[in-house]
Amino acid sequence: MYPDERRILMTPGPVVFSIDTLRYMLSTVYEHTSLDFALIYGEAVRKFRRVVGARDGVPTFIIPGSGTLAMEASLVNTVKPGSRVLVVSHGYFGDRWARIASSNGYDVKVLEAEPGDIVGEDVIVGELSKSRYEAILVNHVETSTGVRADIEGLARVARKFDSLLVVDGVSSVAAEPLECSNWGVDVVLTASQKALETPPGLALISMCTEKALEAYGEASKNVKGFYLRLSEWEKVMRAYEEGRISYYATPATHLVVALERSLEKILREGLENRVKRHAALAKTLRAGLEAMGLKIVARGEEIAANTVTAAYTPPGVNPSELRSKMTTRNVIIAMPLHPALRDKSFRIGHMGSVNANDIISTIAALERTLKTLGAEIELGSGLKAAQETLVNLNL
Ligand code: PMP
């Protein structure tokens, strides 16, 4: 049950956590009504704002929950029930936006892309010109296909049509470029287990613009239920930032400590360096896969994500057999999620502390595995291309 061999985890979350992060997390029991803990929490909130490029002091939340909770909480606290919302969907997690919105009683219109593509700006503008939408809901990176949306461009469009832009950054924050306040991205949310390199269990949200503050001020007053009322959580967040103790529901104390350490590490690397590193490794992986003869799901380099790559399996290779044979070689890859890609693709996550050696090992294991599964693969073809890319990038 517990693997005793050293494994390379190449899934799009959870990712490998640094020993340092885990060491702090386990160093003591953090009592949530202690001043020490309040100070750590306050630091985590401030550092998270810097990572997403949110202005100082804007309402920012770190609460127990997963990415899905962050999506739901963001929506119900900024958009009034019954409003029309436009979901720009690039796959499985875009469709999740639609399901969350429908189940909360919003009037939902979905613009859907072909698997591997993104919805064109002209299509979005066309829809917004026809009808008024209170909000646009989109994923920055769609984890099921490995595509990245043009969030900066979408923010301009949203502003023009006076729609609130709510961005799911679960697979992008801390690995793709993002400056939410400067770009005019109103609301950004994410979860701890991806490029933030923290164990699963935290939902994070920032209200980045004036428009978001207004929308939140209005909608959060009428949130039904109890746990998702961000206006109540805000009192706790403010108290922690001011070094005071407060309580609404017990925070995930150990995870917050791990997150604060991880955010420190991320900011020490520098956001620009970090994005560059992710982009370089993603490019290396794609070069290797393509040289092996595999087709990348993302239709074009400019929309291929820094954090996750989906690729089609060669004819005759079953994704679940591929994953299980890769696991016996101690490289863990992910299964397809997009309904249209289920029996014919696989996914590789490359975010957080992933380095060039991980990419090379993954390509090597993939070449061997596909070869033994009967695919026509020339051993070394992917490795050669990946190595050349790394040499060209001086890595
Ligand atoms: N959005 C995206 C883009 C995701 O990749 C995921 C999870 N992989 C989610 C939302 C949902 O997050 P969670 O599983 O933490 O609820």
Side-chain angles (χ1 to χ4, degrees):
M1 200 160 72
Y2 297 102
D4 54 10
E5 288 188 62
R6 200 159 52 80
R7 287 178 162 178
I8 300 178
L9 186 59
M10 300 297 287
T11 57
V15 302
V16 173
F17 317 119
S18 87
I19 300 289
D20 216 27
T21 301
L22 296 177
R23 189 164 57 79
Y24 276 101
M25 181 174 166
L26 300 175
S27 59
T28 185
V29 174
Y30 297 91
E31 204 266 306
H32 68 285
T33 54
S34 70
L35 182 59
D36 281 346
F37 180 68
L39 293 172
I40 292 172
Y41 215 140
E43 264 305 292
V45 170
R46 278 188 287 272
K47 285 178 177 148
F48 177 66
R49 281 199 200 98
R50 285 173 60 197
V51 167
V52 293
R55 282 196 334 246
D56 284 351
V58 294
T60 294
F61 307 88
I62 302 175
I63 62 179
S66 78
T68 306
L69 180 116
M71 293 169 83
E72 190 155 17
S74 300
L75 177 62
V76 301
N77 282 276
T78 55
V79 186
K80 280 193 228 134
S83 307
R84 260 174 93 61
V85 297
L86 183 64
V87 171
V88 177
S89 175
H90 302 135
Y92 183 90
F93 289 104
D95 292 347
R96 176 162 297 195
W97 263 133
R99 293 174 68 190
I100 290 172
S102 300
S103 63
N104 279 286
Y106 294 87
D107 181 4
V108 184
K109 164 83 184 174
V110 184
L111 295 177
E112 207 148 346
E114 290 291 310
D117 214 340
I118 60 170
V119 179
E121 193 174 304
D122 52 333
V123 177
I124 299 168
V125 167
E127 186 58 38
L128 292 169
S129 312
K130 274 197 291 188
S131 270
R132 155 111 189 103
Y133 287 94
E134 206 60 49
I136 302 171
L137 314 176
V138 67
N139 310 89
H140 193 177
V141 166
E142 171 53 64
T143 323
S144 67
T145 61
V147 300
R148 175 186 49 236
D150 172 12
I151 292 303
E152 195 176 3
L154 208 48
R156 277 194 295 271
V157 171
R159 203 161 343 129
K160 183 164 164 216
F161 289 91
D162 195 29
S163 295
L164 190 82
L165 181 61
V166 185
V167 173
D168 165 357
V170 169
S171 271
S172 71
V173 164
E176 301 279 1
L178 174 67
E179 297 173 35
C180 71
S181 291
N182 281 345
W183 290 2
V185 172
D186 299 301
V187 185
V188 167
L189 65 102
T190 189
S192 48
Q193 75 271 21
K194 304 227 181 190
L196 290 179
E197 292 182 48
T198 305
L202 292 176
L204 303 97
I205 303 166
S206 246
M207 307 287 169
C208 301
T209 63
E210 274 311 311
K211 185 170 174 63
L213 292 184
E214 277 168 34
Y216 163 67
E218 275 298 305
S220 63
K221 284 188 233 147
N222 299 311
V223 171
K224 291 215 179 72
F226 191 85
Y227 191 84
L228 286 188
R229 272 189 214 174
L230 290 184
S231 52
E232 294 297 329
W233 282 104
E234 189 183 348
K235 295 174 195 159
V236 181
M237 298 294 133
R238 295 259 174 241
Y240 282 143
E241 269 202 85
E242 289 161 14
R244 290 182 290 110
I245 289 147
S246 185
Y247 169 77
Y248 187 56
T250 305
T253 46
H254 284 76
L255 296 181
V256 171
V257 170
L259 175 74
E260 195 283 323
R261 284 296 81 195
S262 191
L263 291 169
E264 170 69 25
K265 181 168 98 68
I266 289 166
L267 292 169
R268 223 182 306 127
E269 180 177 7
L271 290 171
E272 210 176 308
N273 293 339
R274 191 170 171 87
V275 168
K276 246 197 225 161
R277 171 169 64 81
H278 279 85
L281 295 176
K283 190 177 157 133
T284 304
L285 176 68
R286 290 194 299 270
L289 297 179
E290 281 179 327
M292 287 162 70
L294 301 182
K295 187 164 178 255
I296 307 287
V297 169
R299 299 180 184 178
E301 273 288 302
E302 66 297 342
I303 59 165
N306 288 349
T307 49
V308 54
T309 298
Y312 291 96
T313 40
V317 173
N318 170 283
S320 81
E321 203 182 358
L322 174 62
R323 178 181 142 98
S324 105
K325 290 282 190 297
M326 286 288 282
T327 302
T328 63
R329 292 181 170 86
N330 290 316
V331 178
I332 318 295
I333 61 170
M335 290 291 286
L337 256 187
H338 194 298
L341 302 171
R342 284 257 157 91
D343 301 322
K344 49 184 178 193
S345 68
F346 63 97
R347 296 177 304 142
I348 296 175
H350 32 88
M351 58 183 116
S353 61
V354 169
N355 62 32
N357 301 334
D358 297 325
I359 301 289
I360 290 295
S361 306
T362 303
I363 293 172
L366 200 55
E367 284 186 351
R368 278 194 333 275
T369 308
L370 287 172
K371 183 98 185 164
T372 45
L373 289 174
E376 271 182 41
I377 297 283
E378 194 190 328
L379 291 180
S381 55
L383 279 177
K384 181 168 186 289
Q387 293 277 48
E388 277 167 1
T389 310
L390 288 171
V391 168
N392 287 337
L393 292 167
N394 207 14
L395 288 173

